[in-house]
Amino acid sequence: MKTILVVGGGAAGATAASRAKKVCPSCRVVLVEAGGYITHAPCAIPYAIAGLSEEALWLYQEESFEVERGVEVYTKTKVVDIAGGRAKLEGRLAGLLDFDVVIVATGARPWVPQVEGLDKKGVVVLRGVDSVEEARSLLRGAARVVVVGAGYIGVEMADVLNAMGKKVVLIDVGPFPMSKVLDPDIGKLVASYMESRGVELRMGERIERITGGDRVEYVVTDGGRYPADAVILATGVRPNVELAVKAGARIGPTGAISVNKYMEAGPPGVYVAGDVAESIHKVTGEPVWIPLATYANKMGYVAGTNAGLGARVAEFHPVAGASVTKFDEMYIGAVGLTEAEARRKGMPVESYVVKTHDKARYMRELRDVTLKAVISRGRLIGVQAVGLTQSISGYIDLASQFIGRPVEELFNAEYTYMPFTAPVWHPLAVVGRLWLRHHYRSNGPPAP
Amino acid sequence: MKTILVVGGGAAGATAASRAKKVCPSCRVVLVEAGGYITHAPCAIPYAIAGLSEEALWLYQEESFEVERGVEVYTKTKVVDIAGGRAKLEGRLAGLLDFDVVIVATGARPWVPQVEGLDKKGVVVLRGVDSVEEARSLLRGAARVVVVGAGYIGVEMADVLNAMGKKVVLIDVGPFPMSKVLDPDIGKLVASYMESRGVELRMGERIERITGGDRVEYVVTDGGRYPADAVILATGVRPNVELAVKAGARIGPTGAISVNKYMEAGPPGVYVAGDVAESIHKVTGEPVWIPLATYANKMGYVAGTNAGLGARVAEFHPVAGASVTKFDEMYIGAVGLTEAEARRKGMPVESYVVKTHDKARYMRELRDVTLKAVISRGRLIGVQAVGLTQSISGYIDLASQFIGRPVEELFNAEYTYMPFTAPVWHPLAVVGRLWLRHHYRSNGPPAP
């Protein structure tokens, strides 16, 4: 009987295990997870803390997973060593396990700047399911909360804390929130909206230490000192590459594990999937490390399928980092490269910023939408969009399909329209129109 | 000086005129419109009747159009004859006008079944701007309204009337609302939602006459008799082909005017654009007549550009009928062929119905989403989606990009995800996954 060991019970590992068993019912599939839960969804953490999610649903029960999927599941089990088709386990399942195939889905762990005072009461690192209860009890009495890190999770935490009535200070070394995926012209819209909703932004500041007695009292940066009853650290994550390396995988240029499109990591029978793995960028063709839940699920699906069948059947394709988040009523989305990023890479770049609405212009309750398109050599390479409308997420899904393609396709494409849902010229169609207007065709007169 | 005559001041004509002047500032551009308004938006009519739109905005002022765009505009002016570069005009601008190029954008007119009683007080045909005031005054005292025709406009009228507190009966010869763009399995979801909101549906019934004295009292069908204080007829439209034919254009198999992708209608210098023109279907390659505002705008843009430059610069591409509407909180969208339509054409068809949610499954306030994908020979040929969420319109925009492409691209595509905006597997990704699961690849083992 073929034994497939899956290490890590997050999105990638749980999907891979379930999938491997499905395509290979005769296989023994063993899923081990170091923590206490499987299929935990880190994206849910801010909303779980705020009570906006149904607890019972965002955690999958180990038992039902076993019964429904036919996978052996062991939580609180750690793989301490792996080599030559044998894993050394500790915890609930201890001892040696021989396997034919391993799928390493060890995910990522929070990265925290090593400053003084991290150990004080009132400081939480968002770290998974367990940190939800910790954060909740901590926040119950906290009036002033400092959030460090203004990436997706930091912005979402600022959102839920602000909605809970806390006084929120958001600190980041970058010049504005989400500066990795937004250009300054779009980022400043996010910043001013957050400030208008009462969040105090301290951008371009680096945390130096956390002071106080037993409990936190102040967060000190190179730019100021902020009183805090609680501190949330959302300063990013790093891939848990150690086990994959022991299994013979190679660390790529991004620091995550290098895999091919079948999620194979090199040595026969070793697959790597999820936040621990690199992918290939659709625009640059270079390895990138973008730990997103959608990729983790799909990578797990691909790895599980190929591992179960013992064949190269499923593929994970290049990515462009399509992502979206929200703060209060503002939705913020991006895909592909920012203008700044493309310039740093030495690409020729032009960009268009389209200001329009989410509805026909004659409708009441119009919401403004700002969409920025980044173009290089006549191809769309990035889109950023913000607005007080959920339509933003649809724009980014749609823009993802045009990344790498000629800009005029944005004009030629078909878009739905009715007064409640869209302007008659979709913002992406406007980008195509603007671009055509400004360019000459090689074979004739000025383009339209 | 080159003179460009544009006939029809709707979306296509106004855009064409504005565009022609822009690319050819030395041209004389004359826009004539038989009615009293230009750039009127028929899509706005239900919402204008309900007071949900800003009147000042959905009608463009003739004067500002002239001043801002440099186009000569004559409303209440009819072209009664056209031949050999000369038009005979009546109305505000009367006499003969010599032109070098004509763009015919005469649009469509309501089609109404010729039954007895149409002339009674209380019966309105939705016909443009003027019918808004007529409908409003009529509806003021009306408690029971019968809407005839359950296409987009009929459903939207039923929506606004229902929201205004009227007792609404909706009658259509088709088996369920929007039966031209929905299959029965999706159409029945729309029907039961409308009924749950208090609309009385009388589907599969044909209107026979309208009875009463001076005023309407009953609408009589082959299935019943319905008391009515007012009757709204939304029974479809027909293209206004007459003038284009006089100008030398040809009527195509759909009954609308046949054009090429440059919006040329055959005779030199004759362009036809908007609701009066056919387009080519992306799936079948056949001519179709789908009068949508987005097409009209784009066709006008293309015709105006090419006419102004006197060159084949801009193109109008094949279409798939992407459209969306709403009733109360339900959004309803479709693109491409229905399963029924594809079967009637003798195509091999399979379909998948995906039931999922608009958010991560652990979030509160989840809304159900049902998406049906129609597939032929491994390619996506149609999508229908309904749900109590505006995400539906984004799904259809996105699906439009996949029409005609291999279904596995739905699996490989990238989608945004965050708990508030999407489930971690986008419904279109689920379609790709289901399809792959059920199909073997020609070159290997079962697909994932």
Side-chain angles (χ1 to χ4, degrees), chain B residues 95-338:
Chain B
L96 298 176
L97 179 75
D98 289 331
F99 60 83
D100 301 284
V101 173
V102 65
I103 302 172
V104 180
T106 41
R109 58 174 166 263
W111 175 86
V112 175
Q114 290 310 304
V115 298
E116 197 186 302
L118 287 178
D119 54 342
K120 291 192 192 305
K121 274 190 195 147
V123 180
V124 201
V125 178
L126 295 182
R127 213 183 268 280
V129 177
D130 301 320
S131 58
V132 170
E133 208 31 70
E134 187 189 347
R136 267 193 198 153
S137 71
L138 191 73
L139 289 165
R140 219 159 277 142
R144 296 162 308 176
V145 184
V146 171
V147 177
V148 186
Y152 285 102
I153 299 290
V155 167
E156 290 167 7
M157 279 308 308
D159 180 22
V160 300
L161 294 168
N162 199 51
M164 290 161 85
K166 315 290 184 194
K167 162 75 189 137
V168 178
V169 178
L170 180 62
I171 298 173
D172 198 283
V173 288
F176 47 83
M178 298 180 26
S179 58
K180 280 188 191 153
V181 298
L182 300 179
D183 280 315
D185 47 354
I186 304 300
K188 77 178 183 202
L189 300 176
V190 175
S192 60
Y193 180 73
M194 291 182 77
E195 285 176 335
S196 77
R197 288 293 172 278
V199 172
E200 183 180 344
L201 294 185
R202 293 294 169 176
M203 298 291 110
E205 295 187 18
R206 188 178 300 275
I207 182 172
E208 290 189 336
R209 60 186 176 281
I210 295 169
T211 63
D214 186 32
R215 284 194 64 85
V216 56
E217 280 171 24
Y218 291 96
V219 174
V220 182
T221 72
D222 53 4
R225 197 181 75 144
Y226 309 101
D229 302 318
V231 180
I232 306 272
L233 290 156
T235 39
V237 291
R238 295 289 182 274
N240 291 322
V241 296
E242 296 75 8
L243 189 75
V245 168
K246 281 185 187 167
R250 190 175 57 78
I251 295 177
T254 69
I257 297 296
S258 180
V259 289
N260 65 13
K261 65 181 172 182
Y262 308 108
M263 307 314 296
E264 298 165 347
V270 178
Y271 296 83
V272 173
D275 286 356
V276 65
E278 288 182 339
S279 22
I280 298 299
H281 199 281
K282 208 171 177 178
V283 173
T284 63
E286 295 166 3
V288 282
W289 186 59
I290 308 176
L292 286 175
T294 44
Y295 300 172
N297 272 282
K298 201 179 284 178
M299 285 176 166
Y301 193 91
V302 168
T305 301
N306 294 343
L309 293 171
R312 292 176 159 183
V313 171
E315 299 175 0
F316 184 78
H317 283 219
V319 299
S323 52
V324 69
T325 190
K326 75 180 268 292
F327 178 89
D328 200 346
E329 291 195 84
M330 177 177 266
Y331 289 81
I332 307 147
V335 61
L337 302 182
T338 61

Side-chain angles (χ1 to χ4, degrees), chain A residues 54 295 298 320 362 397 413-414, chain B residues 54 295 298 320 362 413-414 416:
Chain A
E54 303 276 359
Y295 300 172
K298 201 179 286 178
Y362 50 76
D397 283 336
E414 183 166 359
Chain B
E54 304 277 358
Y295 300 172
K298 201 179 284 178
Y362 49 76
E414 181 165 359
T416 63

Side-chain angles (χ1 to χ4, degrees), chain A residues 19 47 51 53-54 57-58 295 297-298 305 313 320-322 361-362 364 397 411 413-414 416 420 424 441 448, chain B residues 19 47 51 53-54 57-58 295 297-298 305 313 320-322 361-362 364 397 411 413-414 416 420 424 441 448:
Chain A
R19 192 68 199 134
Y47 307 109
S53 72
E54 303 276 359
L57 286 175
W58 71 278
Y295 300 172
N297 272 282
K298 201 179 286 178
T305 302
V313 170
R361 66 190 175 83
Y362 50 76
R364 299 188 205 279
D397 283 336
F411 176 82
E414 183 166 359
T416 64
F420 266 100
V424 69
R441 287 199 181 168
Chain B
R19 192 68 199 134
Y47 307 110
S53 71
E54 304 277 358
L57 287 175
W58 71 278
Y295 300 172
N297 272 282
K298 201 179 284 178
T305 301
V313 171
R361 66 189 175 85
Y362 49 76
R364 299 189 204 279
D397 283 335
F411 176 82
E414 181 165 359
T416 63
F420 266 99
V424 69
R441 288 198 180 169

Side-chain angles (χ1 to χ4, degrees), chain A residues 107-388:
Chain A
R109 58 173 165 262
W111 174 86
V112 175
Q114 289 311 304
V115 298
E116 198 185 303
L118 287 178
D119 54 341
K120 291 195 192 305
K121 273 190 196 147
V123 180
V124 200
V125 178
L126 295 182
R127 214 182 267 281
V129 176
D130 301 319
S131 59
V132 170
E133 208 32 68
E134 186 190 348
R136 267 193 198 153
S137 70
L138 192 73
L139 290 166
R140 218 160 275 143
R144 297 162 308 176
V145 183
V146 170
V147 178
V148 186
Y152 285 102
I153 298 291
V155 167
E156 289 167 6
M157 279 309 307
D159 180 22
V160 300
L161 294 169
N162 199 51
M164 289 160 86
K166 314 291 184 193
K167 161 75 190 137
V168 178
V169 177
L170 180 62
I171 297 173
D172 198 283
V173 288
F176 46 83
M178 299 183 23
S179 57
K180 280 189 190 152
V181 298
L182 300 179
D183 280 313
D185 47 354
I186 304 299
K188 77 179 183 203
L189 301 176
V190 176
S192 60
Y193 180 74
M194 291 182 77
E195 285 175 336
S196 78
R197 287 292 173 279
V199 172
E200 183 179 343
L201 294 185
R202 293 293 169 178
M203 298 291 111
E205 294 187 18
R206 188 177 300 275
I207 182 171
E208 289 189 338
R209 61 188 174 282
I210 295 169
T211 64
D214 187 33
R215 285 194 64 85
V216 55
E217 281 172 24
Y218 291 96
V219 173
V220 181
T221 72
D222 53 5
R225 196 181 75 142
Y226 309 100
D229 302 318
V231 180
I232 307 273
L233 289 156
T235 39
V237 291
R238 295 289 182 273
N240 290 321
V241 295
E242 297 74 8
L243 190 74
V245 169
K246 281 186 188 166
R250 191 175 56 78
I251 295 178
T254 69
I257 298 295
S258 179
V259 290
N260 65 14
K261 65 181 173 182
Y262 307 108
M263 306 314 298
E264 299 165 346
V270 177
Y271 297 82
V272 174
D275 285 356
V276 66
E278 288 182 339
S279 19
I280 298 298
H281 199 281
K282 209 172 176 177
V283 173
T284 63
E286 294 166 3
V288 282
W289 186 58
I290 308 176
L292 286 175
T294 45
Y295 300 172
N297 272 282
K298 201 179 286 178
M299 284 176 167
Y301 194 90
V302 168
T305 302
N306 294 343
L309 293 170
R312 292 176 159 183
V313 170
E315 299 176 1
F316 184 78
H317 283 218
V319 299
S323 52
V324 69
T325 189
K326 77 181 266 293
F327 178 90
D328 199 345
E329 290 194 84
M330 177 178 267
Y331 289 81
I332 307 148
V335 60
L337 303 183
T338 60
E339 184 172 358
E341 215 173 344
R343 286 194 196 285
R344 276 198 302 275
K345 289 178 181 294
M347 300 169 79
V349 183
E350 58 190 314
S351 68
Y352 295 94
V353 175
V354 174
K355 288 179 185 297
T356 177
H357 309 288
D358 65 331
K359 296 186 176 63
R361 66 190 175 83
Y362 50 76
M363 294 298 285
R364 299 188 205 279
E365 296 182 31
L366 275 187
R367 299 303 183 93
D368 291 337
V369 160
T370 304
L371 184 144
K372 176 173 184 168
V374 185
I375 294 162
S376 182
R377 296 192 176 88
R379 289 176 185 271
L380 186 72
I381 62 166
V383 167
Q384 301 155 50
V386 299
L388 307 192

